[in-house]
Amino acid sequence: MNALAARFNAIFGADMAGPLAALAAVLVVFGFASPHFLTGATFGSVAFQLPELGVLTLAMLMPILTGGLNLAITFTANIAGLTLAWTLQANGGIDAGPGAFLLGSALALAVGAASGLIMGLVIAFTRAHPILVSLSMMIFLRGLGEFLTRGGDISGFPTFVAPIGHGSILGIPVPLLILIACVIASHILLSRSKLGFSTYMIGSNIESARYSGINTRKVLVLVYMLSGVVAAVAGIIMLARFNSVRVGHGESYLLITVLACFLGGFGRVLPVFVALVVLQLLSSGLNLLGANQHLTTAVWGILLIVVMVLRWFSAKFIRIVK
């Protein structure tokens, strides 16, 4: 048994055991409960619904790895989406060309980076708690968005924008391809770069990281800037998917991103990605059984409690074996 566990850890990593076990359990349970679960329609639906939540989760992951939190990710995404929408509207609306879209996307990413930069600077130089700083930014962005849009939607975009949210390439949804690209980039950044190493060091012990020569202020600023940029990518996807932008889009995703990070072990990107798939499959399975979204949210909460208990038992079992 120990040899099998060691081989699994060598191939997948120790933090993949929980997400893969949860994935197998969801597939088996709902596969028996509903004959329509293990079908192409279900997995196609998941593939289109997963990307914006997945990208937002990646935006949440890096701050969490430093021991912080970015509660402003959804409103950063919305402000970035509004920036793109305003740029398109200013350049002809539905008649805007690809150049206007590229300009708007660049400005949206810049807005996301600016949001993260401000939070990173405040957190790094004042040592204010990330929850308070990101909560303040969330309130500011929400109020700013409501003021500028008067609580309404902005719609009317060129037809070439729609495939970004609903199109497919070789049968693979375009939003899913964007998510996969973000997952690969995040995985490489965290596992192969100096910034990734420094991020884990700060999350382990920021004082030890500082004494070891890491410029913790610089790392924190970069982490929150990248978080804002990734959130802006999610905002662009949501604009294309909903064909409109408003301040409240995706607001319910915030706590789900934290849940996905926890289920993935607050560590590597790939376990978090698998955890996201589990949550989306769980939601789809419950929908097939006739459950409403409120029950799905309740089940997600119970799942979080179960995972915490199982991790406690697992840690205790490992100590006993050793």
Side-chain angles (χ1 to χ4, degrees), residues 60-90:
M60 178 65 79
L61 179 61
M62 286 190 67
I64 282 182
L65 291 178
T66 65
L69 206 64
N70 184 358
L71 297 177
I73 54 171
T74 56
F75 291 102
T76 299
N78 288 326
I79 288 293
L82 286 169
T83 302
L84 173 55
W86 287 324
T87 304
L88 292 172
Q89 292 289 325

Side-chain angles (χ1 to χ4, degrees), residues 5-194:
R7 185 174 179 82
F8 178 90
N9 292 342
I11 297 174
F12 298 105
D15 49 359
M16 280 291 283
L20 287 177
L23 177 61
V26 167
L27 292 174
V28 170
V29 170
F30 286 106
F32 281 107
S34 173
H36 303 293
F37 181 71
L38 297 177
T39 62
T42 298
F43 291 104
S45 175
V46 169
F48 273 106
Q49 294 173 8
L50 183 65
E52 62 260 29
L53 174 59
V55 176
L56 284 171
T57 301
L58 293 177
M60 178 65 79
L61 179 61
M62 286 190 67
I64 282 182
L65 291 178
T66 65
L69 206 64
N70 184 358
L71 297 177
I73 54 171
T74 56
F75 291 102
T76 299
N78 288 326
I79 288 293
L82 286 169
T83 302
L84 173 55
W86 287 324
T87 304
L88 292 172
Q89 292 289 325
N91 288 274
I94 60 174
D95 297 320
F101 177 79
L102 292 176
L103 174 62
S105 297
L107 292 174
L109 295 176
V111 167
S115 169
L117 174 63
I118 293 171
M119 287 187 289
L121 288 172
V122 173
I123 292 168
F125 286 90
T126 71
R127 298 192 183 183
H129 200 287
I131 290 180
L132 295 177
V133 176
S134 60
L135 179 61
S136 300
M137 179 59 71
M138 180 185 77
I139 294 171
F140 166 72
L141 293 176
R142 180 173 187 171
L144 179 64
E146 294 283 2
F147 170 74
L148 294 174
T149 63
R150 298 182 181 180
D153 296 359
I154 296 180
S155 58
F157 308 125
T159 55
F160 63 80
V161 174
I164 298 175
H166 301 279
S168 298
I169 297 177
L170 300 177
I172 303 175
V174 172
L176 183 61
L177 291 174
I178 297 174
L179 171 59
I180 292 172
C182 291
V183 167
I184 293 173
S186 299
H187 174 71
I188 294 173
L189 177 68
L190 288 173
S191 62
R192 306 292 183 192
S193 72
K194 182 179 178 180

